[in-house]
Amino acid sequence: GYTPRGNSIFGLAPMVSDTDKKPFTAILYGNGPGYKVVDGERENVSMVDYAHNNYQAQSAVPLRHETHGGEDVAVFAKGPMAHLLHGVHEQNYIPHVMAYASCIGAN
């Protein structure tokens, strides 16, 4: 979503949907068990305890289990060789950098 820095990913986004005018959770999944329709409409999350440990974040497509999405995953590094992780990288680059920075393996 477009939540501002410091907003809890387990809370609500600071705006409502421009389609159905209902709030939505800051973290969303493309598919999974969090798909809910109540009385023919999307669930109004302001009426549920979205901070509960067992709450399932909203999803757009109903599936029993969420699948891995195609979105970018942030990787952060601090310390020696941290400069090797910056910007966007292919996923096969990350284990190579980890091995190189740890001085293990063929490198």
Side-chain angles (χ1 to χ4, degrees):
Y2 295 104
T3 58
R5 185 178 298 265
N7 190 75
S8 172
I9 62 168
F10 300 114
L12 295 178
M15 71 285 281
V16 295
S17 165
D18 60 0
T19 303
D20 62 11
K21 307 299 184 220
K22 290 183 182 174
F24 56 94
T25 52
I27 189 168
L28 295 168
Y29 294 98
N31 57 46
Y35 182 85
K36 291 186 180 61
V37 174
V38 178
D39 295 328
E41 295 184 357
R42 183 169 64 91
E43 177 185 39
N44 187 343
V45 290
S46 64
M47 309 302 260
V48 299
D49 183 8
Y50 53 82
H52 191 274
N53 286 342
N54 292 327
Y55 176 74
Q56 292 178 328
Q58 292 179 314
S59 64
V61 177
L63 290 179
R64 287 186 312 145
H65 302 284
E66 189 267 337
T67 61
H68 189 297
E71 58 275 347
D72 291 339
V73 175
V75 178
F76 299 93
K78 185 175 182 180
M81 303 295 172
H83 68 279
L84 296 174
L85 291 171
H86 57 83
V88 176
H89 299 286
E90 292 292 328
Q91 62 185 5
N92 62 345
Y93 177 76
I94 296 168
H96 172 74
V97 167
M98 292 170 63
Y100 183 80
S102 302
C103 298
I104 59 174
N107 300 309

